[in-house]
Amino acid sequence: MMRSAEITRNTAETQIQLSLNLDEQGTIDIDSGIGYLDHMLTLFAKHGRFGLTVKAKGDLYVDSHHTTEDIGIVLGQAFREALGDKVGIERYGCQFVPMDEALTRVVVDLSGRSYLVFDAELTAPKLGTMETEVVEDFWQGFADQVQANVHIANLYGRNTHHKIESIFKAAGRAMRQAVTINPEIKGINSTKGSL
Ligand SMILES: [Mn+2]
């Protein structure tokens, strides 16, 4: 059985439709209304080998905050739903990804507990129409909803576009590792018996 989820979330600030497939890449089709975020979600899915479609309409006349944060929330909900009972999954993922001069480490634990550590100095205030400070808000929304420990550390770099790109690529690859079903894992990968 394929692990997938489809979520629609409508508020006064954003309308989001998102579909996620953990087991078959299929389509990647992202339209958030924010060019740089589309670029990031596309490469998150590509390097995580996830099927991902996102259609979002948000209050971009305000700024990019609500739309970006809410897509993070819905993406986290989709992972949690698609993962179901988490039987046999690796649970942990750890990846280092360079992007030219920038290097980022992302470590995740699909523990059932939410915690974000976000350590990155994003010096350019804006990339295209997206404020760079919303990158942390995106991952906070994601970590809260997927109920995972998400530790993001950009170790170094110069170009803010490269730094954020290495964050999303490393996150995609770390999530791929964590959701992978390992036949050697019997039941739930926790001595507590639940995740
Ligand atoms: Mn790029």
Side-chain angles (χ1 to χ4, degrees), residues 4 25-26 28 34 36 47 51 54 70 109 115 121-122 181:
S4 63
Q25 179 144 69
I28 301 174
I34 304 165
Y36 186 78
H47 293 282
V54 179
D70 290 359
D109 175 11
Y115 207 100
E121 258 185 76
L122 304 175
I181 291 174

Side-chain angles (χ1 to χ4, degrees), residues 36 39-40 43 99 161-162 165 169:
Y36 186 78
H39 182 32
M40 292 305 105
L43 52 82
M99 172 75 213
H161 183 122
H162 290 169
E165 190 160 328
K169 283 178 175 168

Side-chain angles (χ1 to χ4, degrees), residues 119-172:
D119 183 8
E121 258 185 76
L122 304 175
T123 44
K126 230 175 162 182
L127 294 168
T129 59
M130 193 176 102
E131 296 80 9
T132 56
E133 68 176 4
V134 303
V135 173
E136 182 170 352
D137 305 326
F138 175 93
W139 290 111
Q140 186 68 64
F142 177 83
D144 287 348
Q145 295 300 320
V146 73
Q147 296 177 343
N149 296 170
V150 179
H151 290 239
I152 294 171
N154 171 245
L155 304 178
Y156 46 77
R158 177 195 59 83
N159 179 295
T160 305
H161 183 122
H162 290 169
K163 289 183 185 179
I164 299 173
E165 190 160 328
S166 64
I167 289 171
F168 277 80
K169 283 178 175 168

Side-chain angles (χ1 to χ4, degrees), residues 42-118:
T42 300
L43 52 82
F44 169 84
K46 177 72 181 171
H47 293 282
R49 302 194 302 280
F50 301 119
L52 181 64
T53 67
V54 179
K55 288 263 167 292
K57 281 204 186 314
D59 55 0
L60 298 177
Y61 62 89
V62 178
D63 61 17
S64 65
H65 173 70
H66 298 141
T67 303
T68 308
E69 183 177 51
D70 290 359
I71 292 173
I73 286 170
V74 176
L75 184 65
Q77 287 173 340
F79 268 98
R80 194 179 59 191
E81 195 180 308
L83 279 163
D85 57 14
K86 301 181 183 170
V87 167
I89 65 164
E90 284 284 358
R91 169 183 174 180
Y92 294 97
C94 174
Q95 291 284 327
F96 288 79
V97 170
M99 172 75 213
D100 293 347
E101 86 296 346
L103 181 68
T104 295
R105 178 187 65 221
V106 175
V107 185
V108 299
D109 175 11
L110 299 175
S111 60
R113 298 184 310 277
S114 304
Y115 207 100
L116 175 71
V117 175
F118 187 87

